[in-house]
Amino acid sequence: MKKILLISDTHSFIDAQILKFVKQADEVWHAGDIGDLKVTDAIKELKPLRAVFGNIDDQYARAEFPLDAKYEVENVRIWMTHIGGYPNNYNRRIREELKTDTPTIFISGHSHILKVQYDKKLNLLHLNPGAAGNHGFHKVRTMLRFELSEGSVKNLEIIELAQRG
């Protein structure tokens, strides 16, 4: 079993509140718009990190992290990208490949809107953790945490950090 913390859209912001949850996870996944790499460096000092770059990320983040990350953890297939859309409205860039290389969990960020939605057509779980940073229109900073075990997702929780500062 692995405890996963899923964050996105930090936009160069990291604080003790985020790091408290990082310490409780086995792995941290960042779905893009990292901003300053001090964010991912702080996470990597504490826990293993998987991340993708987002549309605001500079050449340094793009050199360190991929546009798409596909991997398997605890027999669960994951596809993470920053701009991915959501069920019935996936981004054009990935729409066809998502049908032929369907993961168990599809993760995207970008919208700053926390969304957990099951796609019945593709038989996958779509996760968007919202935004953990202070930049954007969202009012509450959010993340997701869950456990992966023996091919399934368990104990999925929404974490509301605080009002955006």
Side-chain angles (χ1 to χ4, degrees):
M1 180 189 71
K2 291 254 184 176
K3 294 178 183 176
I4 308 300
L5 179 66
L6 176 60
I7 67 176
S8 188
D9 295 276
T10 48
H11 291 264
S12 301
F13 180 81
I14 192 152
D15 65 358
Q17 204 175 17
I18 293 171
L19 292 174
K20 176 183 88 171
F21 288 100
V22 167
K23 290 173 187 172
Q24 296 169 8
D26 294 322
E27 288 187 14
V28 178
W29 301 350
H30 195 304
D33 277 4
I34 297 159
D36 193 313
L37 288 180
K38 71 179 183 182
V39 170
T40 49
D41 290 345
I43 293 168
K44 286 190 293 187
E45 283 182 22
L46 300 170
K47 297 292 174 166
L49 172 71
R50 298 176 195 259
V52 294
F53 70 79
N55 56 295
I56 67 114
D57 290 318
D58 64 15
Q59 71 271 20
Y60 302 108
R62 290 168 189 248
E64 186 167 344
F65 302 109
L67 174 63
D68 294 301
K70 294 181 182 182
Y71 48 96
E72 189 171 305
V73 176
E74 294 287 322
N75 295 315
V76 176
R77 293 183 63 232
I78 315 300
W79 182 349
M80 181 167 57
T81 195
H82 184 61
I83 301 176
Y86 48 89
N88 298 315
N89 193 22
Y90 291 112
N91 184 279
R92 175 181 317 119
R93 179 182 70 80
I94 54 124
R95 195 175 297 147
E96 291 308 311
E97 187 177 351
L98 202 52
K99 291 176 187 174
T100 59
D101 187 17
T102 308
T104 311
I105 301 174
F106 179 71
I107 297 168
S108 62
H110 186 62
S111 70
H112 292 221
I113 300 168
L114 186 142
K115 190 176 281 197
V116 174
Q117 188 174 0
Y118 190 75
D119 184 331
K120 294 176 187 170
K121 289 180 187 171
L122 295 180
N123 193 29
L124 64 82
L125 180 62
H126 171 264
L127 301 177
N128 184 324
N134 277 326
H135 179 79
F137 68 88
H138 59 286
K139 296 200 180 337
V140 177
R141 298 184 304 119
T142 58
M143 306 184 296
L144 290 171
R145 104 174 134 183
F146 51 92
E147 295 170 359
L148 298 178
S149 179
E150 300 172 9
S152 64
V153 179
K154 299 178 179 180
N155 300 319
L156 178 65
E157 297 176 84
I158 293 169
I159 298 169
E160 291 187 347
L161 293 165
Q163 296 289 321
R164 187 169 55 86

